[in-house]
Amino acid sequence: MSTTSLPVPDRSPRLREALLAAAFTADGLLDLLGAPAYAALARSETVPALRATRGDAPLDTLVRLFLLQHPVPYERARAALPLAECVEDGWVAHVGDQVRAAVDVRPYSGPEGQDWYIVSDLGCAVGGAGGIGSREEGVVLGVGGASTTLAGITVRTPVASALDVGTGSGIQALHASQHATRVTATDLNPRALDFTRLTLALSGVAPAELRQGSLYEPVGAETYDLIVSNPPFVISPGARLTYRDGGMGGDDLCRTLVQQTGDRLNEGGYAHFLANWQHVEGEEWQSRLSSWVPYGCDAWIVQREVQDVTQYAELWLRDSGDHRTDPAEYAARYDAWLDEFEARKTKGVGFGWITLRKSAAAAAGNPSVVIEEWPHAVEQPLGPAVEAHFARQDYLREQDDAALLTGHFTLAAEVVQEQVGLPGAEDPEHVVLRQNRGMRRATKVDAVGAGFAGVCDGTLPAGRILDAIAQLMNEDPVLLRDRTPQAIRLLVEEGFLEPVPSAG
């Protein structure tokens, strides 16, 4: 594990003031670099940003120092920073007539435009085809796509307590600080807790309670209103890198984390995880994940991607820079991954989101468990759509078919209708309803479904609408009422129709 000493956060407000004064912010970077160079940084390509920072303004200096990790002349660093304090506190090092960064400091824009900073190990910004390229066991990464995805899917209602399991550089704890009275962050790696402390301090938010240990071990039997985790979910032959390899066989770490969550959630509380899971020969992946859902919890599990075992092994070998090692060593490591998958009869690896919610209905033996595959684009942040999903499940659990027909519905915002068929044909082959918000789903409907959705404005009960459609289409209204509730249920479940609360 790296033994490099880390900065002390005591005087971070002074450093924060200097960074803000120089416009070393997400917006400031975009203005300075321009969109192409800014996007290239996300791919770990630095040449465009180096070209854009050849000036001598404080912002040029800070970008080169903390983002690009190039040494800068002492006098330029002194013009941009409270340099003596930064050297003394360990943020930078003074070497000869130059100054070098001791840590990676990256501007990050909060959900309401807050100017935050993520502090991580040098050279470990996430992104780029070559991976982070670090093989140190205890390395702490910055913000990557997985981190921002988890932040986006998290429900952000105000809560008394939040827990970030496996906090890393602290981005989830940073988000939770905005809507949780008390934030606890844990990590097996003590350096990660130090980085989280730096991230929160430099971002100007309240400190979190930091505890070292694995999974739920550091919090014992304590319970929370919100739990989030971007765990070390990689399914690998060993536990070489703390930030990604869980150290348990196969997908056992993710399974254990999810299964143990039920005892740590308060009633009505949410838990959000990113996870990998095995696709095992002779076993349905949906059944595998269904067995993970703890007693007393509803669940929504979305598989976003599946890779075959060779793609998966190559991805993580590149992540740690093994593709740049001796070819024989690379081949041996690749072989070890394939041996691991063969021994476990793993034919592929799924990646996705797992959301749990503690509910009285689930505790009473009637949980809502939705497991689906959705590899298509979604609208982030998705947290409001996640909360709405569980609200719709609550509604549907309480409505039998007769109750659905007495209910009132409105068409969800930004749902459009598409008609598909041959040009010039009198009638379309089929009609598609498509969402432009949230999950951005699309579903085929028949003429009845399209007509029903089109007139749902909350004024008439569903049964009355079906009676009118039956009259227009010369259908038996009783038969239409019998066969349509399942279609209405599906349109509600997927968010195309929204129930109108009863006046009573």
Side-chain angles (χ1 to χ4, degrees):
M1 180 179 294
S2 172
T3 57
T4 305
S5 60
L6 297 179
V8 294
D10 301 357
R11 290 185 284 192
S12 55
R14 286 260 294 150
L15 173 56
R16 175 175 171 80
E17 288 175 10
L19 299 181
L20 293 174
F24 187 64
T25 63
D27 289 342
L29 284 182
L30 184 58
D31 290 342
L32 173 67
L33 302 180
Y38 190 82
L41 270 183
R43 303 189 300 269
S44 297
E45 296 290 350
T46 59
V47 172
L50 283 169
R51 292 174 62 85
T53 55
R54 289 179 289 195
D56 58 2
L59 181 54
D60 296 296
T61 300
L62 293 174
V63 172
R64 283 186 166 243
L65 182 65
F66 286 121
L67 258 66
L68 307 180
Q69 283 133 41
H70 276 240
V72 299
Y74 177 85
E75 291 302 324
R76 285 183 56 181
R78 190 170 67 169
L81 294 167
L83 189 54
E85 291 180 7
C86 288
V87 171
E88 185 178 345
D89 292 348
W91 292 96
V92 298
H94 181 195
V95 183
D97 61 352
Q98 293 184 321
V99 173
R100 296 176 180 272
V103 290
D104 185 302
V105 177
R106 296 202 169 231
Y108 178 78
S109 183
E112 297 178 2
Q114 301 98 323
D115 290 315
W116 289 340
Y117 297 95
I118 308 297
V119 188
S120 63
D121 270 315
L122 290 173
C124 293
V126 181
I132 65 162
S134 176
R135 307 173 83 194
E136 289 192 69
E137 178 191 344
V139 70
V140 177
L141 272 60
V143 176
S147 302
T148 55
T149 293
L150 179 59
I153 67 174
T154 299
V155 173
R156 296 295 176 191
T157 51
V159 294
S161 58
L163 172 64
D164 177 11
V165 180
T167 187
S169 54
I171 179 175
Q172 308 306 330
L174 186 55
H175 277 276
S177 71
Q178 302 304 288
H179 64 105
T181 304
R182 177 174 63 92
V183 178
T184 303
T186 72
D187 206 289
L188 181 65
N189 181 1
R191 295 184 77 250
L193 299 177
D194 290 336
F195 273 114
T196 293
R197 184 179 292 108
L198 294 172
T199 289
L200 298 179
L202 195 58
S203 297
V205 305
E209 182 180 357
L210 305 177
R211 303 187 192 181
Q212 183 185 352
S214 178
L215 301 181
Y216 292 115
E217 176 191 26
V219 300
E222 294 177 42
T223 59
Y224 298 86
D225 302 312
L226 173 68
I227 297 174
V228 293
S229 182
N230 178 14
F233 54 66
V234 177
I235 300 170
S236 60
R240 189 160 58 115
L241 299 172
T242 304
Y243 74 86
R244 71 169 202 192
D245 302 323
M248 298 185 185
D251 52 17
D252 283 356
L253 182 134
C254 291
R255 175 185 56 79
T256 301
L257 177 64
V258 173
Q259 287 180 335
Q260 291 181 354
T261 298
D263 294 333
R264 272 79 181 186
L265 268 183
N266 292 327
E267 179 74 19
Y270 285 91
H272 303 273
F273 310 105
L274 301 185
N276 274 173
W277 44 80
Q278 297 170 134
H279 283 231
V280 178
E281 187 177 335
E283 182 180 357
E284 293 291 333
W285 68 269
Q286 295 94 334
S287 299
R288 183 180 191 84
L289 290 177
S290 179
S291 71
W292 293 10
V293 178
Y295 169 78
C297 288
D298 301 317
W300 185 20
I301 301 175
V302 182
Q303 180 167 274
R304 297 288 287 160
E305 182 183 7
V306 182
Q307 291 183 312
D308 68 47
V309 293
T310 59
Q311 291 174 313
Y312 189 81
E314 290 162 14
L315 169 67
W316 295 109
L317 287 167
R318 286 194 302 271
D319 170 80
S320 54
D322 288 306
H323 61 308
R324 294 191 289 268
T325 63
D326 175 71
E329 182 182 347
Y330 173 80
R333 290 196 182 280
Y334 198 150
D335 212 31
W337 284 73
L338 297 185
D339 283 343
E340 175 78 4
F341 288 133
E342 184 176 346
R344 295 182 178 278
K345 297 183 178 179
T346 302
K347 59 183 181 179
V349 178
F351 167 79
W353 318 324
I354 298 176
T355 297
L356 305 177
R357 185 192 58 164
K358 194 76 169 285
S359 79
N366 187 24
S368 164
V369 178
V370 176
I371 302 175
E372 62 177 321
E373 186 163 18
W374 188 254
H376 310 293
V378 301
E379 180 194 39
Q380 285 280 30
L382 200 63
V386 173
E387 187 176 14
H389 165 88
F390 285 96
R392 293 193 301 270
Q393 295 300 318
D394 287 344
Y395 171 82
L396 291 171
R397 258 191 299 221
E398 297 169 357
Q399 310 297 315
D400 59 18
D401 287 355
L404 275 182
L405 293 177
T406 63
H408 294 240
F409 303 92
T410 59
L411 189 65
E414 296 193 34
V415 172
V416 298
Q417 176 179 302
E418 300 173 358
Q419 298 189 135
V420 181
L422 293 173
E426 184 175 344
D427 295 313
E429 292 179 13
H430 58 262
V431 175
V432 174
L433 298 182
R434 187 178 301 277
Q435 302 168 349
N436 288 312
R437 301 294 304 273
M439 290 292 284
R440 293 178 173 161
R441 298 184 188 276
T443 188
K444 289 183 182 180
V445 292
D446 60 14
V448 172
F452 181 85
V455 297
C456 277
D457 60 4
T459 58
L460 293 175
R464 289 271 303 278
I465 295 173
L466 290 178
D467 290 344
I469 291 174
Q471 185 174 3
L472 286 171
M473 300 181 68
N474 294 317
E475 290 208 32
D476 185 328
V478 175
L479 293 178
L480 192 59
R481 278 176 171 253
D482 284 345
R483 76 168 195 259
T484 306
Q486 187 57 38
I488 296 174
R489 193 174 293 274
L490 181 62
L491 290 174
V492 172
E493 181 175 338
E494 294 192 339
F496 291 94
L497 294 178
E498 297 177 348
V500 176
S502 61

